[in-house]
């Protein structure tokens, strides 16, 4: 059970890292990032408000 939880946490962290890279690169894929994902990226400090605005994602 704990191993499964750890695997899920790792998977989510990897996913957020990928989304943050899209934002930093201003990738066209940013259009697929949802509002809750944007909030998670800001909360975890992976991206800044300025980076989100530059990528076309309103905060």
């Amino acid at each position: 059970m704990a191993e499964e939880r750890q695997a899920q946490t790792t998977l989510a962290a990897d996913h957020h890292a990928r989304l943050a890279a899209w934002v930093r690169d201003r990738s066209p894929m940013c259009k697929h990032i949802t509002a809750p994902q944007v909030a998670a990226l800001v909360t975890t400090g992976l991206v800044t408000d300025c980076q989100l605005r530059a990528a076309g994602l309103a905060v």
Side-chain angles (χ1 to χ4, degrees), residues 1 7 13-16 18 20-23 25-27 34 36 38 41 44-45 51 53 59:
M1 187 73 148
D14 289 346
H15 183 65
H16 285 156
R18 191 171 326 115
W22 288 355
V23 170
D25 296 341
R26 298 180 192 164
S27 168
T34 65
V38 167
L41 293 175
T44 57
Q51 289 171 317
R53 281 191 297 278
V59 239

Side-chain angles (χ1 to χ4, degrees), residues 12-59:
D14 289 346
H15 183 65
H16 285 156
R18 191 171 326 115
L19 295 178
W22 288 355
V23 170
R24 285 190 299 273
D25 296 341
R26 298 180 192 164
S27 168
M29 295 299 288
C30 287
K31 66 182 177 187
H32 300 290
I33 300 175
T34 65
Q37 290 169 324
V38 167
L41 293 175
V42 171
T43 300
T44 57
L46 291 173
V47 297
T48 64
D49 291 342
C50 186
Q51 289 171 317
L52 289 169
R53 281 191 297 278
L57 296 168
V59 239

